[in-house]
Structure formats: C-alpha cells, structure tokens
Amino acid sequence: MAHNCIYSAADFKSDQQVKWCPGCGDHAVLSSMTAALAKISSEDCVPREKFTVVSGIGCSSRFPYYVKSYGFHGIHGRAAAIATGVKVANPDLNVWVATGDGDSLAIGGNHFIHAVRRNVDLTMMLFNNEIYGLTKGQYSPTTKLGKITKTSPFGTIEKPFKPGELAIGAGGTFFARSIDAEVALTTELLVSAARHRGMAVVEALVNCVIFNDKTHNNFAGDKAIRAENTILLKHGEPMIFGANRDKGLVFDGEQLRVVKIGESRGDGSQSIVTEQDILIHDAHTTNPMVHFLLAGMSWPDYPVALGIIRQVEAPSYDSEVHRQVAEQMAGTKIADIDDLLNSGATWTVAKS
Amino acid sequence: MDTQNIKQISDVVVRFSGDSGDGMQLVGTLFSDAAAVEGNGISTFPDFPSEIRAPQGTVAGVSGFQVHLGAAKMTTPGDGCDTLVAMNPAALKANYKALKPDSTIILDADTLTEKEFRKAGFSTDDPIAELGLTEYNIISPAITSLTREALSDLGLDIKSATKCKNMFALGLCFYLYNKPLEHTFDYIERKFAKKNPAIAQANVRALKAGYNFGANTHAFANTYNIKAAVLEPGTYRMINGNQATAWGFIAASQKSGHPLFCGSYPITPATVILEELAKRRDLGVVTVQAEDEIAGICTSIGAAFAGSFAVTTTSGPGLSLKSEAMGLAVMTELPLVVVDVQRGGPSTGLPTKTEQSDLLQALFGRNGEAPMVVIAASTPSDCFHYAFWAGKIALERMTPVILLTDGFIANGSEPWHIPQMSDYPVIKPPVVKNIEGDYFCYDRDPEAYARTWAIPGTPDLEHRIGGLEKDRRKGSVSHDPHNHHTMTELRAEKVARVADMIPRQGVVGAPEGDLLVVGWGGTRGHLQGAVDRMRAEGKRVSHCHFNWIDPLPRGVEEIFSKFRQIVVCELNMGQFAGYLRMNFPQFDYKQYNKVQGLPFTVDELVSHFNTLI
Ligand code: SF4
C-alpha cells in the first residue's frame, strides 16, 4: 500500500479527552511528542500505523490514549517489558514507552535496567516529577531527600535515584534530558531518541502542579533561571552555560567542576580560565565516565544537564534476535514442524 | 550369546540410582531409548533432588531414574522396581523401599566402605542386613575399579575414567535384559565423537565392559527378554512432556501463520520448554529469557499485541508472580498461553517433585473476575496435543489460556507415534486487515464472542487497549457501571463458549458401574492402571479423566449419574473435587488425595478403591 507519510502533529492527536490536571507538565510533553511523531513520520516516511506507544501506570502512563497510533496501557512498572515484547515480535514497529519515576524506577526498576542493558530499540519518555501523582502525593524513588510527602510526614530518608546514572550504569546507549517547558528542545530530543537504534531514554523533568509543585523551579523556574542553572549539552561543543555564556565545566581527572571564564580555575593554581579550558562534550564516546558525571549533576552545586548526554552505537537486541533467526533459518535442515518431529532418533513400526 | 537361560517376561521395572553427579538420568534415558527402539512400551520417571550436586554419598544427593518397559504400551513407570542399580550405599538406602519381592540389586562393591556407610547414615557396616535385604538377589561387582581397569590403557585421568562407571552399569543392564548396545553406541558417537573422541572411546569401552562382565561371570541366574509391543504402524520417537509442550506450540504457530514468541524465566521443572524453544530459531521461534517471571509474561503480552502467537512458561511460584499480568491479558483479550508445570508447593516447596496443587490458582488466582481457559495435559506425549489446542483456543477465541502439566509428565518420557501435521486442524485467528468505517476493537464474533485482532502496523486500524475497563464496543476506557457488568459477563461467556470446540467428556470402561474413578491431568496413567487391574478382576469400575478444566466439557453429568460412587483422585488436598462440587453439586464425591511430591502408585489406588466397593 502506498503511504502518504506527510502528517502534522494534529494527525497524532487521538479523539480522547486529555484528563491531566490543568498546568501539569505532561501536557507540554504530549505536544512535543506529537510534533516529534509528525517530524519522524514525514522526514523518515514512517506511516502512522507503525507507531506503537506502550505505558505502565501513573499519570504519564495515560499517554497512549492521547496519541492516535497503536497504543497499549499496561500495568504498573511493566511498560519496558511489554514494549520489549512488542518490538522483538515486530521490529518493523516504531515503539515508544511513556513511563514515570514511580513506574520505571520503583516497581518497574528491574525491567527498566534490563531493557537498557539489552539495548532494545525503544524510545522511552521518562516523566520525572519526583512524586506519585495518581495515588495522590507519596514520595517516589526520585523525590529529594528530606521531602515531606503523605508517606514521609517527617521527611524522606531515602537517597534518590538519578535516572541518568541508572541508565548509564546499566550500559545505556542513549540518554537525554529535557524540561517540560522546553517544548522545542523536548521535541528535538525525542526525534533524536527515536532515530537512535537501541534503547533511548529521554528524561523529561515535569511539574506536578498538585502534589509536587515547583519541584524543579530552583533551576528551571523560568527562562532566566534556566539559563544560569542548566546547561544544554551539544556533541562537539564546549560545555558553556549562563545567560552571559561565561560559565563552563572542566574535568579535573576525577570530577567535573564549574568555572567562570576569565577567572581563576580555583584549583590552587594561578591560571585563568579561558574558553579553551572548557570541556568539549563528546556524547559519542563509549567511555561512560563523563556521561555518568554529567547525568549526576544537580543543583545547586552544578547546572542541571539538558540535551543528549550519551549517544553511542551498539547492536540493538531486537535486531540481534532477528539476525540469529535469519542465520538459523538459512542454515537448517529443519524446515517445518514435521521435520522437527521426525528429527533425531526415530524408529518405524511396520504393518504386521 | 552365552548359554544362560533367557526368560520371557511381559514387563519389568528398572531403577538406576546414584549420586546426582553419577549420570543416572543419562543412563536411565539411554536404557529407555534402546528398549523403545527395540519396540517395547516405555514409561519413565526421573526423580532427582533440587540440588545439582548435593553432598556426595548422602541420601539427600541421590538421583534416580525409573523405567517401566514391557511388551505392551506402558501407562505408568511402575510402582516398585524389579532391578535396582545402586551406585553407592546411599542410593540403596534411598530406594530400598521401592524394591519388589524377588528383585535384583546391583550394587557397586567399591563403594561398600566404612566411609560411604557413614555418609549414607548406616549405623553398621552391613547395609544389606541393616535394611533387611538379605533375601534379595544381590549382585555386587566392583563397578568403579572394573571400569577403571577396562579403560586403563586409554591414558585418561582417573576422574574421567571413573565417570564412565555409569556406562558399565548400563552395559550390565543391557546384558540382563538382552538389549543391543548399538543404540547407545550411536548416541555416544553423536554426542562425543567429534568433540572428544577419547571420552567417546572410553564410554564405549565401559559399556562393553559392563555387558561382558554379565556374560562372562554369569552374574545372573537368568537373563530376560521382553517382546516388542504390538503398536500401530508408523514412525515413533521418545518424547518427554516438556519437549512435547514446546513442539505443540511450534505446531500451533505453524498452523496459524503467527510466529511463536516465548518470553520466559528459568524455573524448575519448566525450564526445558524454554530451552527447547530457544533452539528453534531455525523455525522462526523467538525466545526472550526475561529478567523475571513478570517480564516473561509481559514481553509475551506485548508480543501478542504485536501479532505473535505468544506463550510463557513457568511453575507454581512463577504463576503467582504472573497473576497480575494474566489479568491484563484477560482484560485486553489477547491470545496467550501460560504453561504451569506444577511442582510441590507452597512457596518454593519441592521444586523437583510433582504435585497438582496449582489447580485452584490457575482457575481463580487473579484479582477481579478474570476467567481464563484452563487445560491439563495428562501424559508426556499428549502435552503436544494439548499445547497445540491451547494455542488454537487462545488464537481463535482471543483469550489467555493456562496449560497445566506437572513435574511427573514434564520429565517423564514415552514412545510417541509421531503425528503428521496435515492431520491437525488449521488455526484461524480473527485478524482484521481492513474495515468499512470506524474500527471498534471490542466488536465481537456473535457466536464465539472473540474480539477482533488488529495488529499494529495495519493501516487505519490504530486503537488503544490496556488494563482499564473497556467500553464494550469501542475499547476506550469506560467507568460506566453497567458497561463493567456487561463486560464481565461477556468475558466469562467467551470462556464458557470454548465448550463448543472441545470434545464431550469420555469415560474409559463401562458407562455404568459401582465406582467411577475421576482424575485430571498427569495422573491418567496410574488411575487407568488401577482401573484396568480391577476390571480384570471383574470389578465394576470405570475411569473418567479430565483434560478440559475450564470450561468443563459437555456430558459430565450424564456420566457421573450412572455410577453408585464417585472418587476424585488428585495429588493435592481435593481441589478438583471442590471444583466439581461447585459445578455439579448434585453428586456426592469421595476423595483420594496424596501430597508427597510423588505420583500415585497403582497398588495404593487399587487397595483404596477396594475399600469403596
Ligand atoms: S496529579 Fe500531578 S502528575 Fe498527575 S495529572 Fe495532576 S499535575 Fe499531572
């Protein structure tokens, strides 16, 4: 069938009423995603019926209902496992996963790390609002230490996960981060993630207006705050940030440090920092060390890293499975079930 | 051949036993295979501890393999054994209770040492007397040293040479039962000749040495011959239940045109199904060894959504972990087969032992009203048939299906008349490719109640499904109270209507009588054996065995009503009996239950049934 692959974002909006709270960060990511789907389908000629969105449970996991594509709303924590099955069974599909910090880092933590480890060709949008929204405000594995929530009335006593550290630690091949308000950036990152062959995790820092309002505001509250407190990483470019682009990151062999261009390095030496001293972002190096440190940077000691932190090539699990299938099918004497049943030691009972 | 007397016998039970590392499962299998190829009826019962190498020489570490061979089809591996091969005193201690009167014990004389007696927990240095076995026919060649001697010029290290002692024992048994060695030579050739010719040669040598020892020393007063069984003409092979299950799925996949996908996690005693499927990339089979049981079923549900014939395999503890996801398959109405190879429970229970105690979990162990089709296979080879049918039902009726087998039939093997796939029916899932107007994914077939299956990638049929309750037609999320009630009824009715595609319940023996022996699943052979024996004695006993559990087949009440008494026999505390009371409360059910991790014995069944009539 000939396909008209020219779609607009509107073509990916389902007829379902979107039921997130007004002001919820998920709305913005939905806009980014439908824009990303339109771009991929148009530019790469992927017809709409090839897209499948899989989710778990939580506010963000309602995502599939709002996207006009094939969709599967799973059970809590299992989105990555279900999506793995979809992709391996039908590698032709363009498979997306919508999941949250509770869904993929608590109850589904095991599936998350293993999907990453296997490098299944999935595009995962990991909505991180650092809270359980759908169950009304309990702390999650990414909630800041000490935060008072309904289930931590005296403050949490658990050190939070950083999804990027987890993904990179599990051998992830693609990790990027965006903020709900940065719709264009999110769109761009989702497009890159979808084009990555392998598991791509895009962490979207989203606001839960009801149960964890402004949790990201210290570094993400508005454009000016973001300019000073986040860094947009681009492969091959120096890690410079700040409204005046006068701050940057250097690597001292052990850790990253924030420096100001034109000022002393602050490492005891007399040298003055110049632009040449600033670390160049290499998203493509297989060595995960700097990526890990970048993913782990948190406010106020560091700017929060946005953009593609890691993007390396490796065979995807689904393509490897089907490579083996093709090889085995080509080299076998067993062409069908009858051959199989009659293989090995058999004997014949003759008519008596 | 020598001049010794060869006695004709109708059947015999041989048990091989030794340390877990002694290779008893292998020689048991080779003995069975050789006898099967020679035309005997065969039924086997591997029985091993859950530890891979429990402490050497201890009773806990004993691994056994029992085989029943005869001049007819063998329905059970036999209650007691006629010949016991015991590779050490611990093996003797673990198995002596299974000895029939007059049986022969082959015991490795090299292991009759104080050290071994202590490890096996004997308090004296005379295990034969201590166990009261002096009346038995005991043959104790020095198996270990004779094996080493036979291999002395091959330059093997002592450990590798000693390992071949199982072949010596096997050779001796081949001599005792007049079976040719060639089948085993072929096996050794296939297995080792390329990889390790020295080991291949050593195994052949040890096998011959055992055989010759029997012939030259006149170790036995008689040897025995068991005639070939009269079997339907055709091609046969040995098959165990797990292998048959795996192959049944491949058959269903081929007949449906939907590729087979198995997401699974290793668990005893189900793992072999995954292993068998993993080998079959050449038939397009995709296996994912998942990170846990939940991922096993969830990858399969994803694959079912994406258009595969999806299965997942497990045992009791894994079934518990899969419960929530089974509910998801019920709600999304996707084709999926979940195999539960039952083992002793609860919790970790008895991983390598058999039981039928997951029945109620299979029927009811999910949150909400979540009916699934439940089927139980009953012999090693019929696992193929029921796996095929589980696939056919799942795919055509768009429903998850549980296939129950158990450790006994999963590990046991028997000769199997290989079917031809042209004799099996096609499988036609309700796949939609295009539709006039809007597509509603929960529109149903008016007869079967199966919803349609629009596979992602199909243009214009984009839709969304999931675990939330669905609008009865559109499939969109619905919280409407009446819709929920209706959907609950529809899902139940869809399962109930599977009764239209399964055969009526049958009965073996006369259609009326004094006692109806009712069972289900893997106890078929033993129950049939008991009923056959009683009928031969003129008793009015019949056997009614269930493979179709939910829905139950038609015709059950008619059968039940013709018997004075009904006794429901199962390897649990009465789960099927309770289920029958729920479905057919008009009858009175007696129970016979056993939870020892072991199959029934025909003897115990017969003596119990005799107390009832
Ligand atoms: S509760 Fe929070 S996360 Fe959920 S929809 Fe409302 S704002 Fe969004």
Side-chain angles (χ1 to χ4, degrees):
Chain A
M1 183 183 290
H3 281 292
N4 172 11
C5 291
I6 307 303
Y7 293 98
S8 68
D11 292 324
F12 285 98
K13 295 211 165 101
S14 81
D15 60 353
Q16 299 287 301
Q17 191 197 350
V18 179
K19 289 185 184 156
W20 291 311
C21 308
C24 173
D26 293 359
H27 292 285
V29 184
L30 178 58
S31 300
S32 298
M33 191 211 184
T34 49
L37 293 179
K39 191 169 158 75
I40 296 159
S41 64
S42 305
E43 291 181 3
D44 305 352
C45 199
V46 182
R48 186 172 59 195
E49 64 269 15
K50 298 279 187 196
F51 290 99
T52 301
V53 187
V54 179
S55 68
I57 294 291
C59 289
S60 60
S61 287
R62 296 296 172 94
F63 225 85
Y65 294 118
Y66 306 145
V67 180
K68 185 157 185 187
S69 69
Y70 284 92
F72 196 96
H73 181 208
I75 46 178
H76 201 18
R78 317 303 168 202
I82 295 167
T84 296
V86 172
K87 182 69 190 180
V88 178
N90 194 342
D92 245 16
L93 299 174
N94 195 306
V95 183
W96 293 61
V97 179
T99 182
D101 43 307
D103 197 47
S104 264
L105 303 183
I107 188 167
N110 201 26
H111 312 309
F112 175 77
I113 56 173
H114 288 280
V116 170
R117 174 181 69 85
R118 292 192 183 101
N119 200 33
V120 188
D121 187 11
L122 306 173
T123 305
M124 174 180 277
M125 298 176 288
L126 177 57
F127 296 74
N128 185 1
N129 56 14
E130 301 181 353
I131 200 78
Y132 285 87
L134 198 62
T135 50
K136 301 191 175 34
Q138 301 78 24
Y139 67 90
S140 89
T142 58
T143 302
K144 292 185 183 75
L145 183 66
K147 172 103 187 163
I148 290 175
T149 72
K150 284 188 184 155
T151 47
S152 58
F154 315 111
T156 71
I157 49 175
E158 300 180 18
K159 185 179 165 294
F161 268 144
K162 290 240 166 45
E165 290 180 348
L166 205 54
I168 294 166
T173 55
F174 186 108
F175 180 77
R177 188 188 285 135
S178 189
I179 296 176
D180 47 11
E182 298 278 358
V183 176
L185 174 65
T186 310
T187 304
E188 185 193 318
L189 295 178
L190 290 177
V191 170
S192 300
R195 285 176 178 161
H196 176 71
R197 280 188 302 267
M199 177 91 179
V201 179
V202 179
E203 179 188 14
L205 300 173
V206 291
N207 192 34
C208 170
V209 281
I210 307 296
F211 298 110
N212 205 14
D213 197 18
K214 305 191 174 62
T215 185
H216 306 303
N217 274 21
N218 285 329
F219 58 89
D222 61 31
K223 262 204 149 65
I225 297 175
R226 287 204 285 280
E228 288 300 322
N229 297 287
T230 65
I231 180 167
L232 180 59
L233 298 170
K234 290 217 160 107
H235 174 73
E237 293 185 15
M239 299 182 190
I240 294 176
F241 68 104
N244 301 322
R245 304 211 33 91
D246 56 351
K247 290 186 276 189
L249 293 171
V250 295
F251 181 58
D252 66 9
E254 220 173 78
Q255 56 182 345
L256 296 167
R257 285 195 307 108
V258 179
V259 292
K260 212 157 180 196
I261 297 167
E263 292 184 1
S264 150
R265 270 185 85 113
D267 58 358
S269 73
Q270 293 305 308
S271 57
I272 299 295
V273 177
T274 69
E275 228 184 282
Q276 277 66 48
D277 295 324
I278 303 298
L279 196 60
I280 305 288
H281 181 43
D282 182 359
H284 300 169
T285 176
T286 50
N287 185 337
M289 184 171 60
V290 175
H291 301 154
F292 187 83
L293 297 173
L294 288 168
M297 293 194 304
S298 56
W299 187 88
D301 299 336
Y302 288 99
V304 171
L306 304 178
I308 298 173
I309 294 175
R310 180 174 171 81
Q311 181 177 22
V312 297
E313 293 291 321
S316 75
Y317 177 80
D318 40 288
S319 63
E320 288 294 280
V321 169
H322 289 280
R323 178 183 60 76
Q324 286 190 343
V325 168
E327 279 171 13
Q328 295 300 312
M329 286 179 98
T332 183
K333 287 192 209 98
I334 293 175
D336 60 18
I337 182 72
D338 286 302
D339 289 347
L340 178 63
L341 299 185
N342 288 283
S343 64
T346 63
W347 69 94
T348 309
V349 173
K351 284 201 181 80
S352 47
Chain B
M1 183 87 340
D2 58 79
T3 53
Q4 275 184 271
N5 294 331
I6 300 180
K7 267 198 181 172
Q8 288 295 332
I9 50 175
S10 65
D11 67 307
V12 71
V13 177
V14 181
R15 185 183 286 205
F16 296 89
S17 66
D19 260 328
S20 320
D22 279 347
M24 292 297 102
Q25 301 302 322
L26 176 64
V27 292
T29 305
L30 291 173
F31 186 79
S32 312
D33 289 356
V37 177
E38 291 298 302
N40 289 139
I42 299 285
S43 172
T44 75
F45 176 37
D47 186 21
F48 39 83
S50 57
E51 297 81 9
I52 302 304
R53 295 278 188 278
Q56 191 273 335
T58 63
V59 174
V62 173
S63 168
F65 188 104
Q66 181 162 311
V67 49
H68 192 184
L69 56 151
K73 188 172 153 54
M74 295 290 104
T75 54
T76 79
D79 292 358
C81 59
D82 300 286
T83 294
L84 172 67
V85 176
M87 298 302 281
N88 62 16
L92 181 66
K93 191 169 190 182
N95 289 292
Y96 77 97
K97 284 187 183 145
L99 292 166
K100 287 188 203 163
D102 305 326
S103 49
T104 299
I105 300 169
I106 299 173
L107 182 58
D108 183 359
D110 288 323
T111 64
L112 301 177
T113 63
E114 207 196 321
K115 198 172 141 212
E116 294 294 321
F117 297 150
R118 295 300 90 79
K119 277 197 278 187
F122 285 102
S123 48
T124 69
D125 287 354
D126 187 352
I128 305 294
E130 193 173 326
L131 298 174
L133 305 175
T134 40
E135 301 296 303
Y136 288 83
N137 178 24
I138 294 163
I139 318 283
S140 52
I143 294 179
T144 308
S145 41
L146 285 167
T147 304
R148 285 188 200 143
E149 220 167 274
L151 311 184
S152 60
D153 60 330
L154 294 180
L156 288 183
D157 60 278
I158 191 148
K159 202 173 153 209
S160 304
T162 308
K163 266 195 119 174
C164 296
K165 66 184 177 182
N166 61 339
M167 287 291 164
F168 186 101
L170 177 62
L172 193 53
C173 291
F174 279 146
Y175 172 77
L176 180 57
Y177 292 105
N178 285 288
K179 297 293 176 206
L181 306 181
E182 279 67 31
H183 309 296
T184 309
F185 293 155
D186 288 350
Y187 167 83
I188 294 169
E189 167 81 21
R190 277 201 309 275
K191 191 83 183 168
F192 299 113
K194 272 211 195 96
K195 267 190 283 176
N196 200 336
I199 294 292
Q201 199 191 358
N203 276 290
V204 167
R205 191 80 80 78
L207 186 71
K208 284 185 183 162
Y211 191 94
N212 293 339
F213 177 87
N216 299 336
T217 63
H218 292 228
F220 308 102
N222 300 296
T223 66
Y224 301 93
N225 188 42
I226 300 119
K227 275 206 194 118
V230 181
L231 296 170
E232 262 179 76
T235 309
Y236 283 74
R237 67 172 305 130
M238 288 294 283
I239 195 151
N240 67 54
N242 275 338
Q243 189 180 30
T245 303
W247 290 4
F249 290 143
I250 297 174
S253 163
Q254 193 177 303
K255 280 283 179 180
S256 70
H258 288 259
L260 180 58
F261 180 101
C262 176
S264 191
Y265 188 76
I267 184 171
T268 302
T271 315
V272 169
I273 306 174
L274 174 61
E275 290 171 355
E276 286 295 329
L277 292 175
K279 289 181 197 162
R280 295 274 75 94
R281 296 259 202 264
D282 56 1
L283 291 175
V285 177
V286 169
T287 51
V288 170
Q289 183 178 315
E291 56 273 21
D292 58 29
E293 292 281 355
I294 296 171
I297 185 170
C298 285
T299 50
S300 293
I301 289 172
F305 179 62
S308 287
F309 166 40
V311 304
T312 182
T313 56
T314 193
S315 184
L319 193 70
S320 302
L321 285 164
K322 292 183 195 299
S323 303
E324 186 196 12
M326 287 193 284
L328 178 65
V330 169
M331 198 61 140
T332 51
E333 306 195 34
L334 284 168
L336 173 75
V337 179
V338 181
V339 186
D340 174 11
V341 184
Q342 299 168 96
R343 67 190 214 187
S347 187
T348 311
L350 300 168
T352 57
K353 307 292 173 185
T354 200
E355 210 162 279
Q356 295 184 300
S357 46
D358 296 345
L359 177 69
L360 293 183
Q361 184 185 7
L363 286 165
F364 306 116
R366 291 166 291 282
N367 63 303
E369 296 283 344
M372 285 171 72
V373 174
V374 180
I375 302 173
S378 53
T379 69
S381 65
D382 81 12
C383 288
F384 179 87
H385 179 80
Y386 290 104
F388 178 89
W389 274 88
K392 183 170 165 72
I393 291 168
L395 286 160
E396 291 186 346
R397 300 299 173 100
M398 294 295 284
T399 176
V401 174
I402 292 182
L403 173 64
L404 294 171
T405 71
D406 59 54
F408 173 66
I409 61 172
N411 291 324
S413 54
E414 62 185 0
W416 182 41
H417 187 180
I418 301 171
Q420 289 187 341
M421 286 323 295
S422 51
D423 296 337
Y424 272 73
V426 294
I427 297 178
K428 274 184 126 168
V431 173
V432 279
K433 295 239 162 79
N434 46 52
I435 217 131
E436 295 284 312
D438 289 338
Y439 173 57
F440 296 127
C441 59
Y442 277 68
D443 267 346
R444 284 166 205 282
D445 178 280
E447 298 297 325
Y449 280 26
R451 76 172 184 91
T452 54
W453 194 12
I455 293 166
T458 313
D460 304 323
L461 302 185
E462 290 94 343
H463 64 279
R464 289 143 296 275
I465 56 173
L468 285 168
E469 182 61 285
K470 296 289 173 280
D471 178 81
R472 61 177 296 184
R473 177 127 197 262
K474 288 179 70 178
S476 49
V477 176
S478 167
H479 290 104
D480 178 76
H482 294 289
N483 179 70
H484 178 47
H485 195 102
T486 306
M487 285 299 277
T488 303
E489 287 174 338
L490 284 170
R491 287 187 288 262
E493 184 61 20
K494 178 179 70 175
V495 168
R497 288 184 180 211
V498 168
D500 297 340
M501 65 191 290
I502 64 176
R504 278 178 79 81
Q505 182 59 39
V507 63
V508 181
E512 54 184 42
D514 295 331
L515 179 66
L516 182 67
V517 173
V518 171
W520 65 277
T523 54
R524 178 189 289 276
H526 290 94
L527 297 180
Q528 190 57 45
V531 169
D532 286 349
R533 195 189 292 175
M534 292 177 74
R535 291 181 66 79
E537 290 163 5
K539 311 254 166 68
R540 289 165 36 89
V541 182
S542 296
H543 178 200
C544 180
H545 206 80
F546 288 81
N547 294 101
W548 309 97
I549 309 292
D550 194 5
L552 285 162
R554 306 233 155 85
V556 174
E557 287 147 290
E558 209 180 301
I559 295 170
F560 283 8
S561 63
K562 303 256 168 60
F563 288 85
R564 279 206 310 119
Q565 288 196 78
I566 299 169
V567 60
V568 184
C569 308
E570 28 183 353
L571 301 174
N572 60 40
M573 294 309 288
Q575 299 187 16
F576 191 61
Y579 180 64
L580 289 174
R581 286 185 191 111
M582 182 177 139
N583 281 280
F584 309 112
Q586 67 270 41
F587 303 107
D588 181 42
Y589 303 94
K590 297 215 160 42
Q591 291 178 207
Y592 187 62
N593 303 106
K594 175 173 175 179
V595 274
Q596 300 172 8
L598 292 167
F600 285 124
T601 66
V602 171
D603 282 348
E604 72 194 0
L605 290 167
V606 168
S607 55
H608 182 76
F609 298 159
N610 275 325
T611 66
L612 296 177
I613 52 176

